Amino acid sequence: MPLFGNRRRQHREVPTYIGRKFSSRAGVEESIAHFRSAITQQLGTEPEFFTAEWTGPDPAPVTVIGAVPPGTAPAARRQATSYLALWPDGGMHFVAPDYAVRPTPPLVGMWKMRDASLASTGSVEADEFGVGGR
């Protein structure tokens, strides 16, 4: 028998991260206003904002805001949309299409300039987030 034996390796799936978790002491409406301002500043022009339907796990957020850069072709809308889900306790999930490339987009700094209580609390796993429609 070999000295180190032949142990079976347990296969664990590596989580797929799609966004950032934040918390803020600002209310839901104020957080939405800060997000709108910061993403508009990052893009250099105001995106199209819409409300998305939550299909993720419970508890459901109070609201989910989607933002699509202006002029995005209809076929590319789903892949180009950023989402912000907001819970009443100040928790937020920000999911961006380019998260794998830019886990900390410039809008985070712009957002913190508007809301000093904004704090990163982790990463959003793919199975923690779901939206329908659009």
Side-chain angles (χ1 to χ4, degrees), residues 1 11 15 17-18 27-28 30 33 39 44 56 58 62 66 69 78 81 86 91 93 103 109 119 125:
M1 178 173 214
H11 178 66
Y17 296 112
I18 59 171
V28 170
E30 189 175 356
I39 200 164
D58 287 333
V62 172
R78 187 105 169 123
T81 303
L86 300 104
H93 290 179
E125 292 183 31

Side-chain angles (χ1 to χ4, degrees), residues 6-116:
N6 187 8
R7 290 188 173 175
R8 288 184 185 212
R9 292 185 186 209
Q10 292 182 347
H11 178 66
R12 292 187 332 181
E13 295 219 9
V14 176
T16 302
Y17 296 112
I18 59 171
R20 296 278 300 273
K21 293 179 182 178
F22 294 101
S23 67
S24 172
R25 289 188 304 273
V28 170
E29 293 304 317
E30 189 175 356
S31 291
I32 290 171
H34 293 316
F35 170 70
R36 285 175 173 250
S37 295
I39 200 164
T40 298
Q41 184 179 357
Q42 176 179 301
L43 293 173
T45 185
E46 186 174 59
E48 176 190 337
F49 293 104
F50 62 91
T51 302
E53 175 189 356
W54 179 254
T55 60
D58 287 333
V62 172
T63 191
V64 180
I65 303 298
V68 180
T72 302
R77 287 178 66 82
R78 187 105 169 123
Q79 294 82 11
T81 303
S82 295
Y83 294 98
L84 180 67
L86 300 104
W87 280 265
D89 66 355
M92 294 179 258
H93 290 179
F94 172 67
V95 174
D98 61 349
Y99 178 78
V101 177
R102 266 193 329 187
T104 305
L107 92 101
V108 174
M110 297 170 198
W111 194 349
K112 283 189 82 57
M113 289 175 56
R114 293 166 172 77
D115 178 1

